Amino acid sequence: NEGGGEGAPVNLPTPAFVGVSALYEVQTENSGIQSVELTEGGQYIITKAPSSTYQVIRKKGLLRSTPTMRVVEDDNLISGTYTKVSNVEYDLEGYGKLKVNVFEDDGKFATITLLPIDGGSIAVDVMAKTPVSNSNMTANLCRTWIPESLEEKEWENGVLVWHAVYDYATKQVSVKVGIDGDRIEEDWLEKVIFSKAGTYICFYDDDTFEKNCWGWEDETAGLLSYWYDDVVSGMPDSAPEVVPTPMEKNSGEEDFDVVYLSFYDNKMEGVEHWKDSWDDVVYEGSYAYVLRSAN
């Protein structure tokens, strides 16, 4: 077991595309493309260069949501599955093709051409982003995950006002305590993908998805920091040099948060706490996630 949790030994298979996975940052100006990422589990993510901003809902918690002001370019992200046709050609579901023109000495792409389904071509120079790490913990994390359950608790001035368990397979909510009224889960999470390049993307059942960033704060303890993507939300794509404590991070005064992760069998558990205050009321909450590997 890794990450400080209890449970059976880790039994996570190696994802199919570990050898080709990378986030490629586009070096060519005025291409309209910010980056192209091929993830370990077979998902591609194309991030277009932002040209205008819109209001969007920020996700609260690693896998949760709450209405908060953020900015994002409309239709900024394109994502789907990809397949490897050859060493120099990849089919990108719903988008078209990616062809490799030049490789670096380490085997990563140097120059690529994107061929959208609707015609035309976009030839760009790219540079592979340095992985967060190549450790066992990172290898365990970086894959496609299917959510199984979430236990959510919230307190107001120390009084438990909400306690519920969410079953993602049945899309049912079992309410243990509901003092502040019923809640409806409108957008159920369907899968989440973490990559070694430091990105993760959540996919919801209303066909929406959101890309964010992650890094290890204390890898030995399984403590992961996450924040919001610079292209999508205007936040920095790396954590600040001065790292706040976990409570400071989740106090609502910082733009990134922390979650404790552990792995067992083919599953991942995450535990997250937050605290905030408003009008002399202290709000606290916790999330406990269980996800299983799809790879």
Side-chain angles (χ1 to χ4, degrees):
N1 189 41
E2 297 183 274
E6 300 292 336
V10 177
N11 182 27
L12 292 166
T14 301
F17 296 100
V18 167
V20 300
S21 64
L23 187 154
Y24 292 95
E25 297 173 324
V26 173
Q27 307 299 302
T28 304
E29 294 184 359
N30 302 319
S31 67
I33 304 295
Q34 187 84 17
S35 66
V36 178
E37 182 167 11
L38 303 180
T39 72
E40 290 79 357
Q43 193 87 13
Y44 76 86
I45 307 164
I46 295 175
T47 303
K48 296 194 291 184
S51 58
S52 56
T53 59
Y54 297 82
Q55 180 177 328
V56 76
I57 290 176
R58 167 183 169 176
K59 301 300 173 182
K60 173 68 177 180
L62 186 72
L63 312 176
R64 305 292 291 151
S65 64
T66 190
T68 307
M69 296 284 290
R70 306 304 294 166
V71 292
V72 68
E73 185 196 7
D74 191 27
D75 299 325
N76 193 42
L77 299 174
I78 305 170
S79 186
T81 60
Y82 72 88
T83 55
K84 183 178 180 180
V85 179
S86 69
N87 287 335
V88 297
E89 184 175 346
Y90 296 81
D91 277 334
L92 310 182
E93 173 199 36
Y95 179 83
K97 294 183 182 296
L98 181 156
K99 290 190 175 180
V100 184
N101 304 319
V102 180
F103 288 93
E104 297 284 6
D105 292 339
D106 61 1
K108 298 298 183 182
F109 307 162
T111 302
I112 64 171
T113 299
L114 293 171
L115 301 166
I117 293 173
D118 56 3
S121 64
I122 306 170
V124 292
D125 297 330
V126 295
M127 181 179 294
K129 186 176 180 180
T130 303
V132 172
S133 78
N134 291 304
S135 66
N136 288 336
M137 281 290 285
T138 297
N140 287 344
L141 175 67
C142 293
R143 63 188 61 245
T144 301
W145 296 96
I146 305 299
E148 290 193 338
S149 66
L150 162 68
E151 184 173 12
E152 180 182 35
K153 296 180 180 180
E154 291 186 10
W155 294 264
E156 294 181 8
N157 286 337
V159 177
L160 183 65
V161 297
W162 178 258
H163 180 193
V165 177
Y166 299 77
D167 186 323
Y168 288 90
T170 63
K171 296 185 178 179
Q172 297 294 316
V173 181
S174 175
V175 178
K176 313 295 184 182
V177 176
I179 294 176
D180 63 348
D182 293 333
R183 304 181 189 182
I184 299 174
E185 186 75 352
E186 296 181 349
D187 304 326
W188 285 85
L189 181 70
E190 290 192 330
K191 66 179 178 181
V192 57
I193 298 172
F194 286 86
S195 79
K196 289 183 179 179
T199 64
Y200 77 94
I201 185 167
C202 295
F203 296 83
Y204 301 90
D205 65 356
D206 62 350
D207 296 326
T208 62
F209 52 90
E210 183 176 64
K211 177 186 173 187
N212 299 304
C213 303
W214 72 273
W216 292 117
E217 179 171 335
D218 186 339
E219 187 173 350
T220 302
L223 182 59
L224 177 143
S225 296
Y226 65 94
W227 58 99
Y228 298 94
D229 184 83
D230 61 331
V231 174
V232 178
S233 68
M235 300 313 303
D237 61 1
S238 60
E241 293 182 3
V242 179
V243 179
T245 65
M247 184 56 71
E248 288 173 337
K249 283 187 173 183
N250 287 20
S251 67
E253 298 177 357
E254 298 293 335
D255 289 304
F256 58 105
D257 303 273
V258 293
V259 57
Y260 287 89
L261 299 180
S262 60
F263 303 91
Y264 65 95
D265 195 18
N266 68 336
K267 297 185 179 183
M268 174 172 70
E269 288 187 347
V271 178
E272 182 174 3
H273 301 276
W274 60 268
K275 186 175 183 179
D276 206 347
S277 61
W278 183 261
D279 287 342
D280 297 325
V281 179
V282 176
Y283 299 94
E284 296 179 74
S286 69
Y287 307 125
Y289 316 98
V290 177
L291 304 93
R292 73 175 187 280
S293 173
N295 304 125

